């Protein structure tokens, strides 16, 4: 069968790559064309556009790049028509994907959605479009099933969270060799995860780095995004001796003692690696003012949303400052605080449904198409 997959961000690239691997196992004749990144390209198939050319964050930023976005949508439709897929598989990225889903549904192309848009956070009205334009929805967060089926009477299939597979099945680096390779010493590591987009990194990294001198007994290491060059990070480093490791976030988290993490999928990844964390977020002023008026969630991190309570501390906008980071990081280094947090992480993993999300999803996609 012919599969057309659209992922527009780094997390979608990760989950898309694992789904592709499973599709190839189940369907050796699979012909896959996709929008994604390096991981999906490594799984096989044909890369149409890299997510680096697609990622715009925040309301104001989207408006500023509207011409590029509309051009990409037009090109995507043309490419789909030329490929004539048996199914389009959308991975999150709703602003783009829901437009394509509407267009595809009108043309009778099967539409499957893997990793739901977060309509439970904002734009709940999108449920109308999902009902109309999405044939199958595969969800990865346990509370989404109740949201869709009980609140909106829309059937979905819970497959578990693919991050569990990605973490458990990764090729593990030897800790000692990893430290030696990257010039790390024997001090405990505090990982800095400032995000994957330039706009995020610009707002997050400088503030994260402000506490480095307050913790001389620890070494700070920046997790560089695969989509960004080291030169971009250099402007924030100055003369500091903070280490930089690109495109090896999982290896870094596997040896980290604590972490400062920009809100997003990385907050859940950090928790699944059992690394105590502080969740951080600071957006553009206009985008933040709009967001806080339309998003009614109690929390911004997936960890707290899944657990439905504050498990990890969230420092948002003006609360994201040197004083608060220092105080919260100090707590993470306290044995009793860490022990309680790690117990919560174990409960979190239980809620996520265990391994096999990518395999389950691939099986369901093929089942519904044959």
């Amino acid at each position: 069968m012919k599969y057309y997959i659209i992922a527009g961000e780094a997390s979608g690239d990760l989950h898309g790559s694992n789904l592709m691997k499973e599709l190839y196992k189940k369907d050796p004749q699979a012909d896959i064309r996709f929008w994604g990144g390096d991981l999906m390209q490594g799984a096989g198939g044909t890369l149409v556009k890299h997510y680096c050319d697609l990622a715009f964050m925040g309301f104001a930023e989207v408006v500023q790049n509207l011409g590029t976005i509309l051009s990409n949508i037009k090109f995507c439709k043309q490419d789909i028509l030329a490929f004539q897929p048996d199914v389009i598989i959308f991975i999150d990225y709703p602003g783009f994907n829901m437009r394509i889903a509407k267009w595809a549904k009108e043309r009778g192309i099967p539409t499957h959605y893997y990793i739901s848009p977060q309509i439970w956070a904002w734009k709940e009205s999108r449920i109308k479009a999902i009902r109309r334009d999405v044939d199958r929805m595969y969800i990865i967060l346990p509370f989404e099933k109740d949201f869709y089926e009980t609140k909106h009477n829309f059937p979905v299939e819970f497959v578990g969270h693919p991050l569990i597979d990605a973490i458990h099945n990764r090729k593990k680096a030897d800790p000692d060799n990893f430290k030696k390779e990257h010039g790390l010493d024997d001090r405990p590591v505090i990982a800095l995860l400032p995000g994957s987009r330039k706009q995020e990194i610009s707002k997050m990294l400088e503030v994260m780095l402000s506490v480095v001198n307050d913790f001389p007994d620890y070494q700070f290491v920046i997790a560089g995004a695969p989509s960004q060059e080291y030169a971009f990070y250099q402007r924030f480093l100055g003369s500091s001796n903070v280490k930089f490791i690109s495109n090896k976030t999982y290896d870094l988290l596997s040896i980290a003692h604590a972490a400062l993490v920009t809100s997003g999928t990385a907050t859940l990844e950090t928790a699944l690696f059992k690394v105590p964390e502080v969740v951080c977020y600071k957006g553009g002023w206009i985008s933040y003012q709009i967001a806080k008026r339309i998003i009614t969630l109690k929390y911004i991190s997936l960890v707290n949303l899944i657990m439905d309570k504050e498990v990890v501390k969230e420092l948002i906008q003006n609360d994201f400052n040197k004083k608060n980071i220092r105080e919260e990081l100090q707590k993470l280094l306290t044995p009793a605080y860490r022990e309680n947090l790690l117990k919560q992480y174990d409960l979190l993993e239980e809620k996520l449904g265990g391994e096999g999300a990518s395999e389950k999803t691939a099986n369901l996609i093929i089942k519904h198409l044959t």
Side-chain angles (χ1 to χ4, degrees), residues 59-71:
F59 301 95
E61 291 83 359
V62 167
V63 172
Q64 291 167 5
N65 293 281
L66 191 57
T68 300
I69 294 169
L70 293 175
S71 176

Side-chain angles (χ1 to χ4, degrees), residues 7-220:
E9 299 172 299
S11 60
D13 180 39
L14 171 63
H15 303 321
S17 69
N18 288 323
L19 177 61
M20 287 170 65
K21 291 172 187 175
E22 293 298 332
L23 286 172
Y24 280 126
K25 287 181 187 177
K26 313 295 179 187
D27 179 8
Q29 304 303 314
D31 184 4
I32 302 178
R33 193 168 174 85
F34 63 91
W35 295 45
D38 298 343
L39 295 176
M40 292 174 76
Q41 193 167 21
T46 302
L47 175 65
V48 180
K49 264 190 184 292
H50 200 287
Y51 69 78
C52 291
D53 300 325
L54 309 174
F56 304 107
M57 63 176 291
F59 301 95
E61 291 83 359
V62 167
V63 172
Q64 291 167 5
N65 293 281
L66 191 57
T68 300
I69 294 169
L70 293 175
S71 176
N72 284 334
I73 289 172
K74 181 180 179 181
F75 172 73
C76 184
K77 292 175 181 178
Q78 293 170 341
D79 196 58
I80 290 169
L81 287 177
F83 185 58
Q84 292 292 300
D86 294 295
V87 63
I88 303 176
I89 302 167
F90 304 101
I91 302 181
D92 200 1
Y93 198 53
F96 187 94
N97 276 337
M98 288 306 300
R99 288 172 180 252
I100 301 298
K102 180 177 186 296
W103 171 88
K105 183 70 172 182
E106 291 169 350
R107 283 152 184 80
I109 305 171
T111 54
H112 290 210
Y113 221 118
Y114 176 44
I115 305 178
S116 164
Q118 295 179 353
I119 65 170
W120 36 265
W122 73 299
K123 287 195 175 181
E124 191 169 343
S125 60
R126 274 182 171 154
I127 186 63
K128 296 177 183 177
I130 288 173
R131 285 175 183 274
R132 182 189 66 219
D133 303 328
V134 176
D135 295 323
R136 301 285 175 178
M137 176 71 77
Y138 311 110
I139 59 166
I140 65 172
L141 298 171
F143 61 80
E144 290 177 324
K145 191 166 181 67
D146 183 60
F147 173 84
Y148 275 111
E149 296 189 341
T150 304
K151 186 173 183 180
H152 292 292
N153 195 31
F154 180 73
V156 295
E157 295 175 275
F158 176 59
V159 295
H161 206 293
L163 275 181
I164 295 175
D165 292 338
I167 290 170
H168 287 182
N169 298 335
R170 77 191 193 281
K171 184 178 179 181
K172 298 177 179 65
D174 178 80
D176 292 333
N177 289 341
F178 181 76
K179 288 181 179 180
K180 184 177 180 181
E181 178 186 352
H182 296 284
L184 305 182
D185 56 41
D186 292 331
R187 290 175 297 168
V189 168
I190 295 177
L192 303 181
L193 280 64
S196 60
R197 304 181 184 99
K198 287 184 177 180
Q199 293 155 320
E200 281 180 319
I201 297 164
S202 297
K203 288 183 170 62
M204 306 302 300
L205 187 53
E206 186 174 0
V207 185
M208 288 180 172
L209 290 169
S210 68
V211 300
V212 169
N213 292 332
D214 296 314
F215 297 89
D217 294 333
Y218 297 83
Q219 55 188 328
F220 287 74

Side-chain angles (χ1 to χ4, degrees), residues 190-193 253 256-261 270 275-279 329 332:
I190 295 177
L192 303 181
L193 280 64
L253 287 174
H257 189 69
L260 302 178
V261 186
T270 303
V275 179
E277 67 182 305
V278 179
V279 174
L329 190 51
L332 296 187

Side-chain angles (χ1 to χ4, degrees), residues 335-356:
Y337 189 95
R338 293 174 61 84
E339 183 180 356
N340 180 62
L341 183 53
L342 293 175
K343 287 179 181 177
Q344 294 300 311
Y345 281 174
D346 289 338
L347 295 174
L348 169 74
E349 187 164 356
E350 287 180 21
K351 278 197 169 191
L352 289 175
E355 298 182 51

